[in-house]
Amino acid sequence: AQTVTQSQPEMSVQEAETVTLSCTYDTSESDYYLFWYKQPPSRQMILVIRQEAYKQQNATENRFSVNFQKAAKSFSLKISDSQLGDAAMYFCAYREGQGGATNKLIFGTGTLLAVQP
Amino acid sequence: DAGVTQSPTHLIKTRGQQVTLRCSPKSGHDTVSWYQQALGQGPQFIFQYYEEEERQRGNFPDRFSGHQFPNYSSELNVNALLLGDSALYLCASSRVRGPNTGELFFGEGSRLTVL
């Protein structure tokens, strides 16, 4: 069975600094997606960034980027120029397959990110 | 463009009771999934509905059931509530075909407390 592990329950970063959140996963599949979601106190899960396993190039979305190491089954999230609004719980998630047929995401336990002014 | 909407936002039930949670998907989406998020944990997949049928199910007992209506909205029903069913229940929608397939949008959840 696929598993997702986030080994950092809590992280803290100074405003304008850079922080990296770690995630490892286990799967025997070759086609899959990886995601980072942000969940602020409002509770709504917000997609931060996604990575298709077949793409070697690391995904980037503005201040957010990933370091995808497929052989090592590692998927870390780097947040540059951290802002107070980045404070939230961050979840790493895995989804097998391509296309939209399945909505089954497997989530890690989350990393609570605090941003210090 | 309304996103995923869920109701009610909070509710309190007692053990043994039954509860129904509701979800309206984002406009243009045709598949809905439900997740259970216990306090301090990541969400756990309950099931997915598409074309009014349950397509995939996580490791949840039969007390958890659902329905999808022709307008793509969905309900989650939980019977014989246990204390351990206390959680945030998240609904997520996406489209199976077309652009950006599989990109999930989540609602703000329904917080269920079982006493």
Side-chain angles (χ1 to χ4, degrees), chain A residues 13-19 38 62-64 79-88 90 113-117:
Chain A
V13 62
Q14 292 291 129
E15 199 174 2
E17 296 297 308
T18 296
V19 65
K38 168 185 177 181
N62 301 314
R63 298 181 295 107
F64 300 87
I79 306 174
S80 304
D81 185 25
S82 297
Q83 301 176 358
L84 295 177
D86 294 334
Y90 285 81
L113 177 66
V115 180
Q116 308 299 330

Side-chain angles (χ1 to χ4, degrees), chain A residues 11-76:
Chain A
M11 292 283 285
S12 182
V13 62
Q14 292 291 129
E15 199 174 2
E17 296 297 308
T18 296
V19 65
T20 298
L21 308 184
S22 301
C23 173
T24 59
Y25 60 96
D26 189 26
T27 183
S28 58
E29 302 293 329
S30 57
D31 290 333
Y32 52 88
Y33 289 85
L34 295 165
F35 305 86
W36 279 98
Y37 279 90
K38 168 185 177 181
Q39 188 177 39
S42 68
R43 310 181 317 197
Q44 186 169 21
M45 285 280 190
I46 301 166
L47 178 64
V48 175
I49 199 165
R50 63 186 279 175
Q51 174 79 44
E52 292 89 338
Y54 65 88
K55 291 186 177 179
Q56 293 188 342
Q57 186 173 6
N58 289 326
T60 300
E61 289 287 342
N62 301 314
R63 298 181 295 107
F64 300 87
S65 62
V66 299
N67 183 5
F68 174 47
Q69 302 290 327
K70 190 172 184 179
K73 296 180 181 175
S74 171
F75 183 61
S76 61

Side-chain angles (χ1 to χ4, degrees), chain A residues 39 43-44 102-103 105, chain B residues 33 35 37 48 56 94 106:
Chain A
Q39 188 177 39
R43 310 181 317 197
Q44 186 169 21
T102 177
N103 279 354
L105 294 179
Chain B
S33 299
Y35 288 79
Q37 186 177 17
Q48 175 182 357
Q56 201 171 8
S94 68
F106 284 83

